[in-house]
Amino acid sequence: MEAHRYLLLFGLPKYHKSAFLGSIFVSASAILCLLTWKIGLSLDLLSWVYSALYAVHIHIAMRCLNCNIFAVFRYVLLWGLGAIAALTRAVWQGEVFLGPFGVEYQTDSNLVIILTAGLLGISGSLIGWNRSLSSRFRQIFDNNSLYFSKHQNRLLLAYGYSLALGAGLVYLWGAGGVVSENKVYGSESGDGLGFEFNVLNIFHFVGISLILLAAAGEGKFSKQALLIAMVSLVFGMLAGSRADYLPQLLILMLFLANKKINVYISSEKISATKFIVFGLIGSIIFFLLATLIAYKRQGFPVVEFVQHTLNTGRGLINEIYGHPVLFFETGNMMIGGFYAAIVNANNDGFLLGGSYIDYVLRSPPAFLGLDRPAGLDTLTLISGQIMAQGGIFELAEAYWNFGLIGCFFVPLMISFIHGSLLKTAILRNSAFFFMCYLVPGFMAFRAVWYQNFSYFRQFTVLLIIFIALYFFGRWLLGQRQRNIDQQNALV
């Protein structure tokens, strides 16, 4: 397949100079806002400036990312929390909070750090992605294609179907079956495997990656292959899981319209602004589906979900522990964890990379029963006051380790590595590096919002796969790309 005909999968960044200069401008403006707040300017006014900066940067990013769905997905996850926090502070002037716990720590002095960190994070991420796929690579990209013989394509589909459907079914069985009023998500009844095996989701997306690679045709994907991949994700949703299945299902639905989207983009019939509008509509659909699953996995009937949705006052602003909180699902927990990172870093000092070093010690599989250090997501406490449950945001961990400078450089490095994997996959005609690019792309929700350790866990699993392929399937590792004419002669 010709890589440039699949912008959703392979879209290269455009307007490199605009991305770099725009990100530097937004970063400098964010630091200036922080400094002006410190000398006495009210956050009532500055929150509108912060909101404007988030709006400016997403407009720049949507033009530059060229509709690459995985680059956009990661960017929006980094952008969303800060943008929502800025707009909430601007509209409600501090009367509505963002975290359900520890309201006494949700001060303007801590919020201004979150708003600044968010702008630094999205700026670093955009620069990292653009630098990894420089404009000089575009000519190479346009003259290269991913080529596999018909026999190899059949093998890729067989491997992909087996991994995706197998992992989905095993997860559903291991979780104890379909959630219902009598089966609550995460209950003890979900111990079907009898031991901990927490990387099924990684193998699942390895399978879906192989399906995508084999299913691509002349500018469009095989609908049958995409539908089978989508069915495999439904198994996880039936078990009550959302982060690893619902966003990915929506992404696969977009691939069904790949050819039309390519036409719109190449003819410039769709602008960055329209792309943002479509994204907002998709976000609303995602939010409603996520909330529905949240109700079902706690055993509540669907009628309560409908009542909750229709009650717009309760659906937007909730009274939690005696204070009004803007309700945006998992995002509330991630904001709470960010407050914990700021306060603990101020009280005890920065970790200086300590939580990232712990990734190595936490890497052995859980079923081995080895002692491992606790994840940073379990330490989001302030003097014993819990601030979040279930994870820690990428920028919160970066701040806890290195302060604001970490909020710029950690996303930059991650996005640079991600883009480099795409470049390597194309240059080497490599199914393996294609997996290495796609798996983190699909699992960005867990990695960005729940902890970057997920990226490291994916790396360890993919390293094991690499070793296995080196001995038993070296053709999947790829080779240096040949000329398209030579490839066509082999068909």
mmCIF file of all heavy atoms in Angstrom, residues 118-149:
data_model
loop_
_atom_site.group_PDB
_atom_site.id
_atom_site.type_symbol
_atom_site.label_atom_id
_atom_site.label_comp_id
_atom_site.label_asym_id
_atom_site.label_seq_id
_atom_site.Cartn_x
_atom_site.Cartn_y
_atom_site.Cartn_z
ATOM 1 N N GLY A 118 0.289 22.618 31.305
ATOM 2 C CA GLY A 118 -0.451 22.101 30.166
ATOM 3 C C GLY A 118 -0.003 22.719 28.856
ATOM 4 O O GLY A 118 0.169 22.020 27.848
ATOM 5 N N LEU A 119 0.210 24.041 28.848
ATOM 6 C CA LEU A 119 0.659 24.715 27.631
ATOM 7 C C LEU A 119 2.080 24.302 27.260
ATOM 8 O O LEU A 119 2.401 24.120 26.079
ATOM 9 C CB LEU A 119 0.576 26.226 27.806
ATOM 10 C CG LEU A 119 -0.850 26.793 27.870
ATOM 11 C CD1 LEU A 119 -0.835 28.253 28.288
ATOM 12 C CD2 LEU A 119 -1.560 26.634 26.527
ATOM 13 N N LEU A 120 2.947 24.140 28.256
ATOM 14 C CA LEU A 120 4.303 23.669 27.984
ATOM 15 C C LEU A 120 4.278 22.245 27.434
ATOM 16 O O LEU A 120 5.046 21.891 26.529
ATOM 17 C CB LEU A 120 5.152 23.731 29.254
ATOM 18 C CG LEU A 120 5.457 25.127 29.802
ATOM 19 C CD1 LEU A 120 6.212 25.020 31.125
ATOM 20 C CD2 LEU A 120 6.276 25.936 28.804
ATOM 21 N N GLY A 121 3.379 21.407 27.977
ATOM 22 C CA GLY A 121 3.297 20.013 27.559
ATOM 23 C C GLY A 121 2.863 19.858 26.107
ATOM 24 O O GLY A 121 3.464 19.100 25.346
ATOM 25 N N ILE A 122 1.806 20.576 25.720
ATOM 26 C CA ILE A 122 1.331 20.443 24.336
ATOM 27 C C ILE A 122 2.321 21.062 23.355
ATOM 28 O O ILE A 122 2.475 20.584 22.223
ATOM 29 C CB ILE A 122 -0.077 21.052 24.153
ATOM 30 C CG1 ILE A 122 -0.131 22.523 24.576
ATOM 31 C CG2 ILE A 122 -1.108 20.234 24.923
ATOM 32 C CD1 ILE A 122 -1.488 23.181 24.375
ATOM 33 N N SER A 123 3.016 22.108 23.799
ATOM 34 C CA SER A 123 4.029 22.719 22.929
ATOM 35 C C SER A 123 5.192 21.760 22.710
ATOM 36 O O SER A 123 5.652 21.556 21.573
ATOM 37 C CB SER A 123 4.533 24.024 23.550
ATOM 38 O OG SER A 123 3.495 24.976 23.659
ATOM 39 N N GLY A 124 5.672 21.147 23.786
ATOM 40 C CA GLY A 124 6.762 20.187 23.665
ATOM 41 C C GLY A 124 6.371 18.989 22.826
ATOM 42 O O GLY A 124 7.153 18.510 21.991
ATOM 43 N N SER A 125 5.151 18.500 23.017
ATOM 44 C CA SER A 125 4.688 17.339 22.274
ATOM 45 C C SER A 125 4.633 17.629 20.778
ATOM 46 O O SER A 125 5.066 16.811 19.951
ATOM 47 C CB SER A 125 3.310 16.914 22.780
ATOM 48 O OG SER A 125 2.846 15.778 22.080
ATOM 49 N N LEU A 126 4.105 18.798 20.400
ATOM 50 C CA LEU A 126 3.999 19.144 18.981
ATOM 51 C C LEU A 126 5.377 19.312 18.351
ATOM 52 O O LEU A 126 5.623 18.845 17.228
ATOM 53 C CB LEU A 126 3.177 20.423 18.815
ATOM 54 C CG LEU A 126 2.862 20.832 17.372
ATOM 55 C CD1 LEU A 126 2.055 19.754 16.656
ATOM 56 C CD2 LEU A 126 2.114 22.163 17.338
ATOM 57 N N ILE A 127 6.299 19.934 19.081
ATOM 58 C CA ILE A 127 7.654 20.104 18.554
ATOM 59 C C ILE A 127 8.335 18.746 18.388
ATOM 60 O O ILE A 127 8.995 18.480 17.376
ATOM 61 C CB ILE A 127 8.479 21.014 19.492
ATOM 62 C CG1 ILE A 127 7.969 22.455 19.417
ATOM 63 C CG2 ILE A 127 9.962 20.958 19.139
ATOM 64 C CD1 ILE A 127 8.615 23.402 20.414
ATOM 65 N N GLY A 128 8.174 17.855 19.366
ATOM 66 C CA GLY A 128 8.796 16.535 19.287
ATOM 67 C C GLY A 128 8.296 15.737 18.103
ATOM 68 O O GLY A 128 9.082 15.103 17.377
ATOM 69 N N TRP A 129 6.990 15.752 17.872
ATOM 70 C CA TRP A 129 6.407 15.015 16.741
ATOM 71 C C TRP A 129 6.913 15.579 15.414
ATOM 72 O O TRP A 129 7.290 14.830 14.500
ATOM 73 C CB TRP A 129 4.886 15.100 16.817
ATOM 74 C CG TRP A 129 4.173 14.440 15.679
ATOM 75 C CD1 TRP A 129 3.625 15.058 14.589
ATOM 76 C CD2 TRP A 129 3.930 13.043 15.488
ATOM 77 N NE1 TRP A 129 3.054 14.139 13.748
ATOM 78 C CE2 TRP A 129 3.227 12.892 14.279
ATOM 79 C CE3 TRP A 129 4.244 11.911 16.241
ATOM 80 C CZ2 TRP A 129 2.832 11.657 13.790
ATOM 81 C CZ3 TRP A 129 3.845 10.665 15.755
ATOM 82 C CH2 TRP A 129 3.155 10.549 14.553
ATOM 83 N N ASN A 130 6.949 16.894 15.297
ATOM 84 C CA ASN A 130 7.403 17.519 14.060
ATOM 85 C C ASN A 130 8.881 17.275 13.797
ATOM 86 O O ASN A 130 9.285 17.045 12.656
ATOM 87 C CB ASN A 130 7.121 19.024 14.101
ATOM 88 C CG ASN A 130 5.719 19.374 13.649
ATOM 89 O OD1 ASN A 130 5.480 19.724 12.519
ATOM 90 N ND2 ASN A 130 4.770 19.262 14.574
ATOM 91 N N ARG A 131 9.695 17.298 14.834
ATOM 92 C CA ARG A 131 11.129 17.096 14.637
ATOM 93 C C ARG A 131 11.436 15.665 14.228
ATOM 94 O O ARG A 131 12.389 15.414 13.496
ATOM 95 C CB ARG A 131 11.897 17.444 15.908
ATOM 96 C CG ARG A 131 11.882 18.919 16.268
ATOM 97 C CD ARG A 131 12.417 19.767 15.144
ATOM 98 N NE ARG A 131 13.785 19.415 14.783
ATOM 99 C CZ ARG A 131 14.387 19.766 13.646
ATOM 100 N NH1 ARG A 131 13.707 20.462 12.741
ATOM 101 N NH2 ARG A 131 15.630 19.421 13.414
ATOM 102 N N SER A 132 10.670 14.705 14.695
ATOM 103 C CA SER A 132 10.931 13.307 14.351
ATOM 104 C C SER A 132 10.584 13.004 12.902
ATOM 105 O O SER A 132 11.132 12.071 12.306
ATOM 106 C CB SER A 132 10.129 12.374 15.270
ATOM 107 O OG SER A 132 8.736 12.479 15.009
ATOM 108 N N LEU A 133 9.667 13.779 12.330
ATOM 109 C CA LEU A 133 9.216 13.571 10.946
ATOM 110 C C LEU A 133 9.431 14.867 10.178
ATOM 111 O O LEU A 133 8.496 15.549 9.789
ATOM 112 C CB LEU A 133 7.742 13.158 10.923
ATOM 113 C CG LEU A 133 7.442 11.825 11.624
ATOM 114 C CD1 LEU A 133 5.959 11.704 11.946
ATOM 115 C CD2 LEU A 133 7.891 10.656 10.756
ATOM 116 N N SER A 134 10.691 15.206 9.988
ATOM 117 C CA SER A 134 11.045 16.494 9.401
ATOM 118 C C SER A 134 10.555 16.588 7.962
ATOM 119 O O SER A 134 10.229 15.590 7.313
ATOM 120 C CB SER A 134 12.565 16.689 9.448
ATOM 121 O OG SER A 134 13.202 15.701 8.652
ATOM 122 N N SER A 135 10.536 17.811 7.461
ATOM 123 C CA SER A 135 10.051 18.044 6.102
ATOM 124 C C SER A 135 10.902 17.307 5.067
ATOM 125 O O SER A 135 10.418 16.942 3.993
ATOM 126 C CB SER A 135 10.039 19.543 5.806
ATOM 127 O OG SER A 135 11.324 20.117 6.024
ATOM 128 N N ARG A 136 12.181 17.057 5.375
ATOM 129 C CA ARG A 136 13.052 16.338 4.444
ATOM 130 C C ARG A 136 12.622 14.883 4.279
ATOM 131 O O ARG A 136 12.958 14.236 3.289
ATOM 132 C CB ARG A 136 14.498 16.400 4.932
ATOM 133 C CG ARG A 136 15.152 17.759 4.750
ATOM 134 C CD ARG A 136 16.551 17.786 5.303
ATOM 135 N NE ARG A 136 16.543 17.658 6.754
ATOM 136 C CZ ARG A 136 17.639 17.680 7.509
ATOM 137 N NH1 ARG A 136 18.829 17.799 6.941
ATOM 138 N NH2 ARG A 136 17.556 17.567 8.816
ATOM 139 N N PHE A 137 11.889 14.356 5.251
ATOM 140 C CA PHE A 137 11.434 12.976 5.166
ATOM 141 C C PHE A 137 10.242 12.827 4.225
ATOM 142 O O PHE A 137 9.960 11.733 3.739
ATOM 143 C CB PHE A 137 11.054 12.476 6.565
ATOM 144 C CG PHE A 137 10.508 11.070 6.592
ATOM 145 C CD1 PHE A 137 11.273 9.998 6.188
ATOM 146 C CD2 PHE A 137 9.208 10.832 7.017
ATOM 147 C CE1 PHE A 137 10.766 8.707 6.206
ATOM 148 C CE2 PHE A 137 8.691 9.557 7.042
ATOM 149 C CZ PHE A 137 9.478 8.493 6.634
ATOM 150 N N ARG A 138 9.535 13.934 3.925
ATOM 151 C CA ARG A 138 8.303 13.825 3.128
ATOM 152 C C ARG A 138 8.580 13.264 1.737
ATOM 153 O O ARG A 138 7.811 12.445 1.229
ATOM 154 C CB ARG A 138 7.635 15.201 3.023
ATOM 155 C CG ARG A 138 6.368 15.187 2.164
ATOM 156 C CD ARG A 138 5.638 16.500 2.250
ATOM 157 N NE ARG A 138 5.099 16.717 3.576
ATOM 158 C CZ ARG A 138 3.966 16.176 4.022
ATOM 159 N NH1 ARG A 138 3.266 15.380 3.231
ATOM 160 N NH2 ARG A 138 3.542 16.413 5.234
ATOM 161 N N GLN A 139 9.671 13.681 1.104
ATOM 162 C CA GLN A 139 9.969 13.171 -0.234
ATOM 163 C C GLN A 139 10.234 11.671 -0.188
ATOM 164 O O GLN A 139 9.776 10.917 -1.048
ATOM 165 C CB GLN A 139 11.172 13.906 -0.823
ATOM 166 C CG GLN A 139 11.478 13.490 -2.268
ATOM 167 C CD GLN A 139 12.608 14.292 -2.861
ATOM 168 O OE1 GLN A 139 13.164 15.167 -2.210
ATOM 169 N NE2 GLN A 139 12.958 14.007 -4.109
ATOM 170 N N ILE A 140 10.971 11.235 0.834
ATOM 171 C CA ILE A 140 11.205 9.792 0.999
ATOM 172 C C ILE A 140 9.883 9.082 1.231
ATOM 173 O O ILE A 140 9.610 8.021 0.662
ATOM 174 C CB ILE A 140 12.162 9.548 2.183
ATOM 175 C CG1 ILE A 140 13.504 10.235 1.937
ATOM 176 C CG2 ILE A 140 12.377 8.051 2.412
ATOM 177 C CD1 ILE A 140 14.448 10.180 3.120
ATOM 178 N N PHE A 141 9.053 9.685 2.051
ATOM 179 C CA PHE A 141 7.753 9.108 2.394
ATOM 180 C C PHE A 141 6.875 8.939 1.152
ATOM 181 O O PHE A 141 6.279 7.887 0.918
ATOM 182 C CB PHE A 141 7.074 10.028 3.405
ATOM 183 C CG PHE A 141 5.658 9.678 3.751
ATOM 184 C CD1 PHE A 141 5.381 8.684 4.659
ATOM 185 C CD2 PHE A 141 4.594 10.372 3.173
ATOM 186 C CE1 PHE A 141 4.067 8.389 5.004
ATOM 187 C CE2 PHE A 141 3.288 10.079 3.511
ATOM 188 C CZ PHE A 141 3.026 9.079 4.427
ATOM 189 N N ASP A 142 6.808 9.975 0.305
ATOM 190 C CA ASP A 142 5.951 9.933 -0.880
ATOM 191 C C ASP A 142 6.431 8.914 -1.906
ATOM 192 O O ASP A 142 5.662 8.475 -2.761
ATOM 193 C CB ASP A 142 5.878 11.320 -1.522
ATOM 194 C CG ASP A 142 5.034 12.282 -0.699
ATOM 195 O OD1 ASP A 142 4.224 11.801 0.120
ATOM 196 O OD2 ASP A 142 5.191 13.504 -0.858
ATOM 197 N N ASN A 143 7.695 8.538 -1.839
ATOM 198 C CA ASN A 143 8.258 7.595 -2.797
ATOM 199 C C ASN A 143 8.432 6.194 -2.213
ATOM 200 O O ASN A 143 9.148 5.369 -2.776
ATOM 201 C CB ASN A 143 9.603 8.102 -3.316
ATOM 202 C CG ASN A 143 9.441 9.315 -4.201
ATOM 203 O OD1 ASN A 143 8.592 9.326 -5.087
ATOM 204 N ND2 ASN A 143 10.217 10.349 -3.954
ATOM 205 N N ASN A 144 7.800 5.951 -1.091
ATOM 206 C CA ASN A 144 7.897 4.644 -0.457
ATOM 207 C C ASN A 144 6.513 4.060 -0.231
ATOM 208 O O ASN A 144 5.536 4.790 -0.067
ATOM 209 C CB ASN A 144 8.639 4.728 0.883
ATOM 210 C CG ASN A 144 10.142 4.689 0.700
ATOM 211 O OD1 ASN A 144 10.756 3.642 0.816
ATOM 212 N ND2 ASN A 144 10.740 5.835 0.409
ATOM 213 N N SER A 145 6.445 2.763 -0.208
ATOM 214 C CA SER A 145 5.198 2.081 0.100
ATOM 215 C C SER A 145 5.491 0.911 1.007
ATOM 216 O O SER A 145 6.627 0.453 1.104
ATOM 217 C CB SER A 145 4.518 1.582 -1.180
ATOM 218 O OG SER A 145 5.333 0.608 -1.806
ATOM 219 N N LEU A 146 4.477 0.487 1.718
ATOM 220 C CA LEU A 146 4.595 -0.728 2.525
ATOM 221 C C LEU A 146 4.125 -1.893 1.665
ATOM 222 O O LEU A 146 2.989 -1.894 1.175
ATOM 223 C CB LEU A 146 3.747 -0.599 3.794
ATOM 224 C CG LEU A 146 4.250 0.432 4.810
ATOM 225 C CD1 LEU A 146 3.222 0.622 5.913
ATOM 226 C CD2 LEU A 146 5.575 0.008 5.402
ATOM 227 N N TYR A 147 4.981 -2.843 1.465
ATOM 228 C CA TYR A 147 4.645 -3.938 0.564
ATOM 229 C C TYR A 147 4.813 -5.281 1.259
ATOM 230 O O TYR A 147 5.844 -5.565 1.875
ATOM 231 C CB TYR A 147 5.534 -3.920 -0.677
ATOM 232 C CG TYR A 147 5.368 -5.162 -1.524
ATOM 233 C CD1 TYR A 147 4.264 -5.289 -2.370
ATOM 234 C CD2 TYR A 147 6.278 -6.209 -1.433
ATOM 235 C CE1 TYR A 147 4.083 -6.432 -3.125
ATOM 236 C CE2 TYR A 147 6.110 -7.357 -2.186
ATOM 237 C CZ TYR A 147 5.005 -7.460 -3.026
ATOM 238 O OH TYR A 147 4.820 -8.596 -3.754
ATOM 239 N N PHE A 148 3.784 -6.107 1.161
ATOM 240 C CA PHE A 148 3.852 -7.498 1.606
ATOM 241 C C PHE A 148 3.160 -8.353 0.546
ATOM 242 O O PHE A 148 2.167 -7.938 -0.057
ATOM 243 C CB PHE A 148 3.167 -7.681 2.968
ATOM 244 C CG PHE A 148 3.815 -6.896 4.069
ATOM 245 C CD1 PHE A 148 3.300 -5.667 4.457
ATOM 246 C CD2 PHE A 148 4.947 -7.369 4.694
ATOM 247 C CE1 PHE A 148 3.904 -4.931 5.453
ATOM 248 C CE2 PHE A 148 5.565 -6.631 5.697
ATOM 249 C CZ PHE A 148 5.038 -5.407 6.079
ATOM 250 N N SER A 149 3.698 -9.536 0.316
ATOM 251 C CA SER A 149 3.106 -10.425 -0.671
ATOM 252 C C SER A 149 1.730 -10.887 -0.197
ATOM 253 O O SER A 149 1.371 -10.723 0.977
ATOM 254 C CB SER A 149 4.015 -11.635 -0.896
ATOM 255 O OG SER A 149 4.039 -12.444 0.275
#
